[in-house]
Amino acid sequence: MRYVELNRESIDQALNEWSPRQAGAGIVALLPEAEKDHLPVLQAACRQRGLALVGGIFPALVGNQGFLTHGVWLLCFDQMPPHFLLPALNTAADAVGAVVAAARQGLKVYPPGAPKPTLFMVFDGMVPNVASLLDGIYLELSNRVEYGGVNAGSETFLPMPCLFDDRQVLGDGVLGLLLPGSMAPTLEHGFEQPERAMSATSTAGNRIAMIDWRPAFEIYQEIIKAQYGIDLRRDNFYEYAVHFPFGLLRANGDVVVRIPVALADDGALYCVGEIPENAMLVLLQAPAAGAHGCIGRLAEHLRSAHGSLQGTQLLTFYCAGRRMHLGDDAEKELAELQAATRVGELAGALSLGEIGSTVRWGYPMFHNATLVCSPWPVP
């Protein structure tokens, strides 16, 4: 992975230094939102050299144990992995079928007996039903692949074209990559499950209208007041919501985080990610940086799956909501991750939702407030 300034001179220099010696090379690029107007420079450079290019635009980049709003990460593959870019998921007659068909085509590259590839998906953060799409994809592909991914887009949660190849940039879509088995991702969030649970008795997509048959905001207010002594009101909702997300309880005991991001006039709450009707919810308190052994557990899972990572690079996606909660401590958490894994460099982006499982070979779920990490095997 190479971090370069997003101008033609710097890009040409980086591509000259890389200089792949075989046909079929390509790049996965990660851009920060502030650099989106400079994307055509990168597209033109790749077209001129005959390099495949796909990528996403994110709120910021991860690098140098911090968050960057300029430059670009270039993930350079001497042999570009199978990939696809699908638009208009919201209006597609069969969005799941389109993703599954494209993934199956890509799987043909991997011979029987090869390490299981990872289907890594980058969705536009404005796609409202990522969790449902994942359910459908898993029903078709099952354990033929491992799963990982993130949401791209603007931290304002306003529509913005954020997925691209060498000739276009689009929204309301998904970028899919069939990555080699050596890049299987690991996901962690560090939230602890409280004892009290409640039922989401009326929901629609990412909207919670009622909890335990009462307006969702009323229940949310009461629990925060009772457990944390905070007087939550409409005028301070956005100040506190990121620190007190909901947790969806799963049958395997796992907790999937859902951050409330909007409050409706009727007391309904909107979250990042869907809430199934009658789902069992708990109210979580976002942990301090590295709390509950999160970073140590993430590092151990990476070592268990991939061996020593000392001196290598680690592809790292860090939830924007997690950074908002932790503030400056988010950078301390990145430093802790680098120390715990002993990698030479973290490289990645700030994401708007994450895809994966907290256990190896687990069912893929759409999360908030997590870290998703993959070792980078390419020199």
Side-chain angles (χ1 to χ4, degrees):
M1 287 184 280
R2 299 164 184 263
Y3 174 78
V4 301
E5 297 296 324
L6 226 174
N7 58 65
R8 187 58 186 261
E9 181 180 357
S10 297
I11 291 169
D12 282 342
Q13 180 178 345
L15 297 182
N16 287 336
E17 291 172 356
W18 172 36
S19 188
R21 294 182 174 84
Q22 61 187 47
I27 290 171
V28 178
L30 311 177
L31 270 72
E33 181 179 356
E35 294 273 36
K36 65 181 185 298
D37 293 339
H38 298 139
L39 173 59
V41 176
L42 176 61
Q43 291 172 313
C46 289
R47 285 199 306 270
Q48 182 176 331
R49 294 168 181 264
L51 295 171
L53 171 69
V54 294
I57 301 171
F58 298 86
L61 302 182
V62 170
N64 300 325
Q65 296 185 11
F67 302 97
L68 310 171
T69 57
H70 64 280
V72 57
W73 277 114
L74 304 179
L75 284 62
C76 301
F77 290 88
D78 289 336
Q79 187 63 49
M80 188 69 167
H83 56 276
F84 55 87
L85 182 61
L86 301 176
L89 292 185
N90 275 317
T91 57
D94 183 8
V96 168
V99 173
V100 169
R104 283 176 171 157
Q105 186 67 29
L107 281 170
K108 294 178 180 179
V109 172
Y110 292 92
K116 186 182 297 187
T118 292
L119 175 57
F120 196 92
M121 292 168 283
V122 182
F123 285 90
D124 178 353
M126 299 304 294
V127 173
N129 59 334
V130 173
S132 296
L133 292 173
L134 289 175
D135 289 343
I137 292 166
Y138 185 81
L139 285 173
E140 295 292 333
L141 295 178
S142 187
N143 60 358
R144 291 185 63 193
V145 297
E146 296 204 54
Y147 297 86
V150 291
N151 277 3
S154 172
E155 200 168 6
T156 64
F157 286 98
L158 295 175
M160 178 187 78
C162 58
L163 306 173
F164 58 84
D165 58 20
D166 65 337
R167 296 184 180 276
Q168 62 180 329
V169 55
L170 56 86
D172 184 27
V174 60
L175 165 63
L177 298 150
L178 271 297
L179 298 176
S182 57
M183 292 187 68
T186 294
L187 177 148
E188 283 291 344
H189 54 62
F191 282 80
E192 286 195 327
Q193 179 181 326
E195 293 183 1
R196 176 176 174 178
M198 50 203 156
S199 176
T201 44
S202 177
T203 69
N206 65 337
R207 181 179 187 268
I208 310 175
M210 303 187 92
I211 296 174
D212 290 343
W213 299 110
R214 292 173 56 200
F217 185 55
E218 286 185 14
I219 297 290
Y220 190 57
Q221 285 177 299
E222 288 180 6
I223 298 177
I224 288 179
K225 179 68 171 179
Q227 294 186 2
Y228 306 106
I230 295 171
D231 184 16
L232 185 67
R233 306 177 305 274
R234 287 184 172 273
D235 62 350
N236 64 7
F237 170 80
Y238 296 99
E239 178 183 350
Y240 288 108
V242 71
H243 305 296
F244 298 98
F246 290 107
L248 283 174
L249 300 184
R250 307 291 296 195
N252 65 356
D254 201 359
V255 178
V256 180
V257 181
R258 291 286 183 266
I259 298 176
V261 293
L263 170 60
D265 291 340
D266 62 0
L269 297 171
Y270 288 84
C271 298
V272 181
E274 295 152 276
I275 309 288
E277 192 152 279
N278 298 315
M280 296 306 295
L281 301 177
V282 291
L283 185 66
L284 304 171
Q285 182 178 22
H292 309 142
C294 173
I295 299 302
R297 192 162 54 248
L298 177 58
E300 181 55 37
H301 288 169
L302 284 164
R303 281 192 294 270
S304 176
H306 302 289
S308 173
L309 300 177
Q310 184 170 356
T312 63
Q313 290 178 306
L314 188 66
L315 180 60
T316 303
F317 292 94
Y318 194 98
C319 179
R322 190 180 187 95
R323 184 181 72 159
M324 188 179 300
H325 159 65
L326 290 175
D328 292 341
D329 282 348
E331 295 190 359
K332 296 179 182 178
E333 194 165 57
L334 289 177
E336 183 183 349
L337 175 61
Q338 185 167 356
T341 55
R342 304 181 71 181
V343 297
E345 186 175 36
L346 304 179
L350 202 64
S351 51
L352 300 172
E354 298 77 43
I355 296 167
S357 174
T358 54
V359 296
R360 191 78 188 274
W361 316 117
Y363 188 94
M365 294 179 288
F366 180 67
H367 298 257
N368 304 155
T370 62
L371 296 89
V372 177
C373 296
S374 296
W376 177 249
V378 182

